[in-house]
Amino acid sequence: MIEMKSWLPIAAESDFSIYNLPFGIYSQKGGKKHVGIAIGDKVVNLFGLSENQMLDVASAFFAQDYLNDFIRLGKNVTRKVRLDVQRLLCEEDSPLRASPELLIDQSEVQMHLPVRIGDYTDFYSSIEHATNVGVMFRDPEHALLPNWKHIPVGYHGRASSIVVSGVPIHRPMGQVLPKDATEPVFAASSRVDFELEMGYIIGKDTSLGDRVSTAEAEEYIFGKVLFNDWSARDIQKWEYVPLGPFLAKNFGSSVSPWVVTMEALEPFRVAGPKQETKVLPYLEATGDRNFDIQLEVAISPEGSEEQVVSRSNFKHMYWNMAQQLAHHTVNGCDVHVGDMMASGTISGPTPDAYGSMLELAWAGTKPLEMRDGTVRRFIEDGDTVTMRGYADKDGVRVGFGEVSAQVLPAKVY
Amino acid sequence: MIEMKSWLPIAAESDFSIYNLPFGIYSQKGGKKHVGIAIGDKVVNLFGLSENQMLDVASAFFAQDYLNDFIRLGKNVTRKVRLDVQRLLCEEDSPLRASPELLIDQSEVQMHLPVRIGDYTDFYSSIEHATNVGVMFRDPEHALLPNWKHIPVGYHGRASSIVVSGVPIHRPMGQVLPKDATEPVFAASSRVDFELEMGYIIGKDTSLGDRVSTAEAEEYIFGKVLFNDWSARDIQKWEYVPLGPFLAKNFGSSVSPWVVTMEALEPFRVAGPKQETKVLPYLEATGDRNFDIQLEVAISPEGSEEQVVSRSNFKHMYWNMAQQLAHHTVNGCDVHVGDMMASGTISGPTPDAYGSMLELAWAGTKPLEMRDGTVRRFIEDGDTVTMRGYADKDGVRVGFGEVSAQVLPAKVY
C-alpha cells in the first residue's frame, strides 16, 4: 500500500483515516441533506467542493437525501471522487486546505440513513451462528439443516423499518406463547436481542431475468455498513414456522451512517473458511473473498458504563458476499442501487465471539454480568447496544464508526 | 346504490363501469407516463382534465410514473377526483363530453406498474389453502399449524420483481433436490406454479412505532389489484426451512394495472368466515370486512384456447385486510404509500376453487386436461396464465380486468 499523509491532523486510532473516506448523508442544523465523506473528526462537504470546481461531478449529485443517485453514476465516477478527495486532503498546496469551511466538525452534523433502500435481504451465512441455533433449538447431532452447506440461505426483510444509528427502538408488542401454554398472549417481548451483522449496499442495477456471477458480483457492491438486526426471540419462536421471521424482525433494524467502499476494504481481503461440502458451480468463487474486519458489541445499561459482550470478525463468514449475490440472482431476481444485503449474525468460533444475546447467554442459561452488577439474558429497557467495526493492517486503519441504539419501553396503547 | 348512467357507451359486461373508475398509469406510443382512470374501453386522461380546469388537483400530480404522489394527497382528495370524473362522465352537458380527445382507447395505451412499491408483504390467509398444503406436505390430522388461527401469518417478499400484467416471466433456474437424493442439483424448475391472490395498496404512511387498529385499517388502504404470486415449488421445498420462501418466489410476481379503490368495492362487503378460535383483542374486527369478488384463473397453452382451471372468491379469506394490517403494525412496523400487501393464495372450499396448480392437480397426482388435449401438473413453457376478478350485485359490476403473463423457457447461460 502506498503510504499517504494528510495535511489535516487525523488521530492514529481514527476509523476515518486517509485510506478510508466513506460516503454518508449529513445535515447541519436546519440545513438540507448533503453527501459527505468522513475524514478524522471532520466531514468533507462534497457539494461545496463541487461548487468550487474541486470535483468534476455536478454539485446536484451531492445535494441529495440519499446516496442512490450518486452511486448510480457508477464505480468509475464514485472511485474517482474518492481518489480526488484523497488527493485534495494530501497535497500540501491543495485548494481544500485553503477552504477550511468545507471541512465540518462531525460533532456539528446529524447523520442520516445513507441510502433509500429498495429491498432488504438478510442472509444466514455464519456457520457458527447457524450451528449454535441448531444446537439450542433442534438437535445437537444435526445442528445444521441439510440445505445449509449448499445454499447461502437468505430471506426477505422489511426495508421501511431500517433506521440510522441513534434512532431509538421501542420494545415490540406481539404474540408470544407462554411456556407450556397452547394459546398465545399479547405482551411486550421479553426476549429482545441484537444481531451483529454487516450489510452491503448494491451499487449497480440488474434487470428481471439477469444473473450476476460470483466473478462479477463485487462490481455490483458499492460498500458496507454495520447492521444490527434487532430481533424478538419470543415473537419469532411463535410466528416463524412455516414462512420465516416477520414481526420478530421488522420492528427496527439499525445501520451505521458511513458506507465504507469496497475500494477501501481491498487491503483487508482474506480467504474464507474452507467449504468442504462441494458447492454447485454457480456458487464457486475463486480468490480471497472474505474481509478481515474486527467487530465488537457493547451494552450500556442506562446511566452505566458500557460492557463489551462480544468480539467477532467478519472473516468468519462461511458464505461470502459474491456467493450471496450470485445465489440471490441465479433465478433472475433483479437487484437495484440502494438494496441492502445483510450477512446474518456474525458469530465467531469461541463463546466470547458470538453475535447475539441468544448465543452469548445461551438461551438465558448463562446470563452476562454488566459493570453495574446487573445481569443480562436479553436486552432490557434503557440499554444502549453499540456495534463497532474496523480493519487494521500494517498501520492502516479503515473503520466503520459505530451503530448504536437505545431500546425504549414498549408503547402501550 | 344510486343508479348512474354515463353518456359514454359502456358495455354491460365491462369491468370498468361508471361505478368503478379505477386508477392506473398509462402511456401512449412514445409518450410519458400519466395517471388515468379506466371507463369502459377508454382511459380518462386526468392530466388533460386538470389542464382544462375540469379537476381541482394540479396537473403535475397526473404527470407521474407512479400513483404514489397522487395517493399521498389523501383519501379526501383521491375520492373527490373519482367522484368528479364520475360526474363528468354522467352529466349530459359535461365539458368532458365536449373534449373526446381526453378519452383514449385502451387499445392505444400501454399500462405500467401502478405504484412504486416500497415493501411487499405476502400473507397466507386462506384457511382452505393452508389446510390443503398441510394435508399434502405435513399431517392430514393436523393440517393447520398451531399458530395459524391466532396469527394472520405473513412474510416479506421481494418488491423489485413485481411486474405489471403482460410482462413475461422466465422459468427460474435454481437448486432442487431430486427425489431420494441427498445432494441438490442445479436445474430449471419443473414445478412452476401460479398463486391466485389479491393485493392491496397502502394509501397512508405511518411512522416507526405507530400501530394501526382494525378500526382504522381501511383508511390506510387505497385499493386493490389482482396478484399472481408465481412460485417454483421444487426450489421452495429445498430452500424454505427454516427462514421461508426466497428464490422460489422472487423471480417475478404479476399484478393487474388498474387499482380498484376501496370506495368502488364498498357495495360488495360481506361477512367473512366465522373465526371460531377467539382472536386476541388487537385482531378483533367488527362489521363486514370481506368482499364478494369472483375470481378465475385460465391457462392458455401456446397457440391454443384458454381453459378456466379455477373459480374462487375473495370472500373466502379467513383473515381480512383489517386484521392483516393491524397485525403487521402491532409491533410498530411502519407502512408507506405504495406498499403492497398480498392475500396469499385464495382457495375456495371445493376442488374447482383451489388457487394454485399445487392444489388443483394435488401435487401432480390429478393432472388437469387442457383444450388441446395436453395435461398440466404445473405450468409449462409457453403457457399464459390469466387471472380475472369482478364484483357484481344488483346489476352493478366493478371489475379488475386481468393479470396475465406468459411463462418463457429458462434462460440458460
Side-chain angles (χ1 to χ4, degrees):
Chain A
M1 201 176 316
I2 300 162
E3 205 181 313
M4 280 180 285
K5 186 151 170 47
S6 175
W7 42 260
L8 184 75
I10 301 164
E13 71 278 14
S14 174
D15 278 351
F16 307 123
S17 70
I18 190 68
Y19 303 98
N20 189 352
L21 304 178
F23 292 93
I25 298 290
Y26 74 97
S27 64
Q28 288 178 277
K29 202 177 156 86
K32 286 191 179 172
K33 294 179 186 173
H34 279 126
V35 176
I37 275 181
I39 179 74
D41 54 7
K42 303 281 186 184
V43 177
V44 184
N45 172 352
L46 298 183
F47 179 82
L49 260 62
S50 175
E51 290 275 292
N52 288 281
Q53 284 74 50
M54 286 183 242
L55 295 173
D56 48 16
V57 169
S59 63
F61 285 98
F62 303 116
Q64 295 278 335
D65 289 352
Y66 298 101
L67 294 174
N68 298 53
D69 287 353
F70 173 65
I71 294 174
R72 204 172 280 114
L73 292 171
K75 285 216 184 196
N76 285 343
V77 175
T78 59
R79 276 181 189 137
K80 183 167 186 303
V81 168
R82 183 170 161 275
L83 294 176
D84 285 347
V85 170
Q86 201 167 47
R87 191 176 36 73
L88 288 163
L89 283 164
C90 288
E91 289 178 358
E92 291 295 325
D93 57 350
S94 144
L96 177 54
R97 195 171 188 178
S99 307
E101 73 284 3
L102 296 177
L103 293 170
I104 307 158
D105 283 348
Q106 282 177 23
S107 60
E108 287 180 13
V109 305
Q110 186 183 351
M111 296 304 299
H112 304 277
L113 196 65
V115 283
R116 188 192 302 111
I117 300 165
D119 278 290
Y120 155 48
T121 297
D122 194 22
F123 287 92
Y124 186 58
S125 289
S126 153
I127 196 165
E128 290 84 359
H129 172 68
T131 303
N132 287 338
V133 171
V135 167
M136 273 186 270
F137 295 118
R138 285 184 297 267
D139 174 4
E141 299 299 305
H142 302 91
L144 285 182
L145 287 163
N147 59 13
W148 200 91
K149 287 188 176 178
H150 297 283
I151 292 179
V153 172
Y155 66 105
H156 299 299
R158 181 87 190 169
S160 72
S161 53
I162 299 177
V163 294
V164 74
S165 178
V167 175
I169 301 289
H170 281 274
R171 177 178 300 273
M173 302 289 294
Q175 289 195 27
V176 299
L177 191 67
K179 198 167 184 299
D180 302 324
T182 57
E183 305 278 311
V185 297
F186 183 65
S189 168
S190 61
R191 302 194 146 208
V192 169
D193 201 354
F194 60 79
E195 290 194 328
L196 169 63
E197 305 197 9
M198 298 196 75
Y200 66 86
I201 289 165
I202 295 294
K204 192 173 166 182
D205 291 341
T206 70
S207 297
L208 189 64
D210 288 354
R211 193 184 294 178
V212 177
S213 69
T214 55
E216 305 161 312
E218 287 177 10
E219 276 303 303
Y220 287 80
I221 301 175
F222 177 72
K224 290 181 68 63
V225 290
L226 301 169
F227 195 98
N228 182 352
D229 181 27
W230 295 101
S231 300
R233 301 298 179 190
D234 39 7
I235 294 174
Q236 187 173 352
K237 193 175 176 186
W238 172 235
E239 77 173 0
Y240 91 103
V241 177
L243 298 177
F246 183 52
L247 299 191
K249 298 275 192 177
N250 66 18
F251 62 95
S253 313
S254 303
V255 296
S256 56
W258 292 107
V259 184
V260 177
T261 63
M262 292 305 287
E263 294 76 47
L265 293 170
E266 194 57 41
F268 309 101
R269 277 185 189 274
V270 290
K274 189 163 166 53
Q275 298 182 332
E276 285 175 9
T277 297
K278 194 172 161 51
V279 298
L280 285 165
Y282 81 91
L283 289 171
E284 287 169 4
T286 55
D288 290 347
R289 297 302 190 119
N290 279 32
F291 293 86
D292 184 354
I293 302 168
Q294 299 188 48
L295 300 167
E296 68 172 37
V297 186
I299 300 175
S300 310
E302 196 153 25
S304 162
E305 268 183 282
E306 75 167 35
Q307 166 80 32
V308 173
V309 296
S310 175
R311 292 182 208 277
S312 187
N313 194 305
F314 186 68
K315 73 181 177 189
H316 299 308
M317 299 308 291
Y318 185 89
W319 293 103
N320 59 54
M321 294 182 280
Q323 292 176 313
Q324 290 168 346
L325 188 55
H327 182 66
H328 202 316
T329 60
V330 76
N331 67 344
C333 179
D334 52 330
V335 298
H336 297 274
V337 167
D339 286 352
M340 179 75 73
M341 308 279 175
S343 57
T345 307
I346 304 164
S347 291
T350 55
D352 58 350
Y354 293 168
S356 66
M357 286 301 286
L358 180 70
E359 296 161 88
L360 289 162
W362 207 254
T365 61
K366 298 179 181 170
L368 301 188
E369 239 184 82
M370 299 289 105
R371 283 173 193 264
D372 64 1
T374 59
V375 295
R376 290 292 180 281
R377 290 174 171 83
F378 289 96
I379 301 302
E380 303 286 343
D381 289 348
D383 286 357
T384 296
V385 175
T386 303
M387 298 173 177
R388 303 185 184 93
Y390 67 93
D392 194 353
K393 187 181 171 184
D394 304 332
V396 168
R397 180 169 168 130
V398 168
F400 289 78
E402 62 179 38
V403 56
S404 184
Q406 188 180 30
V407 171
L408 299 182
K411 276 190 176 177
V412 179
Y413 287 71
Chain B
M1 199 177 317
I2 300 163
E3 206 181 312
M4 279 180 285
K5 185 149 173 46
S6 175
W7 42 260
L8 184 76
I10 301 164
E13 71 278 12
S14 175
D15 277 351
F16 306 123
S17 70
I18 190 68
Y19 303 99
N20 189 352
L21 304 177
F23 292 93
I25 298 290
Y26 73 96
S27 64
Q28 287 178 278
K29 202 179 157 87
K32 287 191 177 171
K33 294 179 187 173
H34 279 126
V35 176
I37 275 182
I39 180 75
D41 55 6
K42 303 282 185 182
V43 177
V44 184
N45 172 353
L46 298 183
F47 179 81
L49 261 61
S50 175
E51 290 275 292
N52 287 279
Q53 285 75 49
M54 286 183 241
L55 294 174
D56 49 15
V57 169
S59 62
F61 285 97
F62 303 115
Q64 295 279 334
D65 289 352
Y66 298 102
L67 294 175
N68 299 53
D69 286 353
F70 173 65
I71 294 174
R72 203 173 281 112
L73 292 172
K75 284 217 185 193
N76 285 343
V77 176
T78 58
R79 276 181 190 139
K80 181 165 187 303
V81 167
R82 182 170 161 275
L83 294 177
D84 285 346
V85 170
Q86 201 168 47
R87 191 177 36 74
L88 287 163
L89 284 164
C90 288
E91 288 178 357
E92 292 295 324
D93 57 350
S94 144
L96 178 53
R97 195 172 189 178
S99 307
E101 73 283 3
L102 295 177
L103 293 170
I104 306 158
D105 283 349
Q106 282 178 22
S107 60
E108 286 180 11
V109 304
Q110 187 184 351
M111 295 304 301
H112 303 276
L113 196 64
V115 283
R116 188 193 301 110
I117 301 165
D119 278 290
Y120 155 48
T121 296
D122 194 22
F123 287 92
Y124 185 57
S125 289
S126 152
I127 196 166
E128 290 84 2
H129 173 66
T131 302
N132 287 339
V133 171
V135 168
M136 273 186 269
F137 295 118
R138 284 185 299 267
D139 174 3
E141 299 299 304
H142 303 91
L144 285 183
L145 287 162
N147 58 13
W148 200 90
K149 288 189 176 177
H150 296 283
I151 292 179
V153 171
Y155 65 105
H156 299 299
R158 181 88 189 168
S160 72
S161 52
I162 299 177
V163 294
V164 73
S165 179
V167 175
I169 302 290
H170 282 274
R171 178 177 299 274
M173 302 289 295
Q175 289 196 27
V176 298
L177 190 68
K179 199 168 182 304
D180 301 324
T182 56
E183 305 279 310
V185 298
F186 183 65
S189 168
S190 62
R191 300 193 148 209
V192 169
D193 201 354
F194 60 79
E195 290 195 328
L196 169 62
E197 305 197 8
M198 296 194 77
Y200 66 86
I201 290 165
I202 294 294
K204 192 173 169 183
D205 290 343
T206 70
S207 297
L208 189 63
D210 289 352
R211 192 184 294 179
V212 177
S213 69
T214 56
E216 303 162 314
E218 288 178 9
E219 276 304 302
Y220 287 80
I221 302 175
F222 177 72
K224 291 181 67 62
V225 291
L226 300 168
F227 195 99
N228 182 353
D229 181 26
W230 294 101
S231 300
R233 301 298 180 191
D234 39 7
I235 294 173
Q236 187 173 352
K237 194 175 176 186
W238 172 236
E239 77 174 358
Y240 92 104
V241 178
L243 298 177
F246 183 52
L247 299 191
K249 298 275 192 176
N250 66 17
F251 62 93
S253 314
S254 305
V255 296
S256 55
W258 293 106
V259 184
V260 177
T261 62
M262 293 305 286
E263 293 78 47
L265 293 170
E266 194 56 41
F268 308 102
R269 278 186 189 274
V270 290
K274 189 163 168 50
Q275 298 183 331
E276 285 175 9
T277 298
K278 194 172 161 51
V279 298
L280 284 165
Y282 81 91
L283 288 171
E284 287 170 4
T286 54
D288 290 346
R289 296 302 189 120
N290 278 33
F291 293 86
D292 184 355
I293 302 168
Q294 300 189 47
L295 301 166
E296 68 172 38
V297 186
I299 300 175
S300 309
E302 197 154 25
S304 163
E305 268 182 282
E306 75 167 34
Q307 165 81 33
V308 174
V309 296
S310 175
R311 292 183 208 277
S312 187
N313 194 306
F314 186 68
K315 72 181 177 189
H316 299 309
M317 300 306 292
Y318 185 89
W319 293 103
N320 60 55
M321 294 182 279
Q323 291 177 314
Q324 290 169 344
L325 188 55
H327 182 65
H328 202 315
T329 60
V330 76
N331 67 343
C333 179
D334 52 329
V335 298
H336 297 274
V337 168
D339 286 352
M340 179 75 73
M341 308 280 174
S343 56
T345 306
I346 304 164
S347 290
T350 56
D352 58 351
Y354 293 168
S356 66
M357 286 303 285
L358 180 69
E359 295 162 87
L360 289 163
W362 207 254
T365 61
K366 297 178 180 172
L368 301 188
E369 240 185 81
M370 298 289 106
R371 282 175 193 264
D372 64 1
T374 59
V375 295
R376 289 293 179 283
R377 290 174 171 81
F378 289 96
I379 301 301
E380 303 286 341
D381 289 349
D383 287 356
T384 296
V385 175
T386 303
M387 296 172 177
R388 303 185 185 94
Y390 66 94
D392 195 353
K393 186 181 171 184
D394 304 332
V396 169
R397 181 170 167 129
V398 168
F400 288 78
E402 62 180 37
V403 55
S404 183
Q406 188 179 32
V407 172
L408 300 181
K411 277 188 173 179
V412 180
Y413 285 70

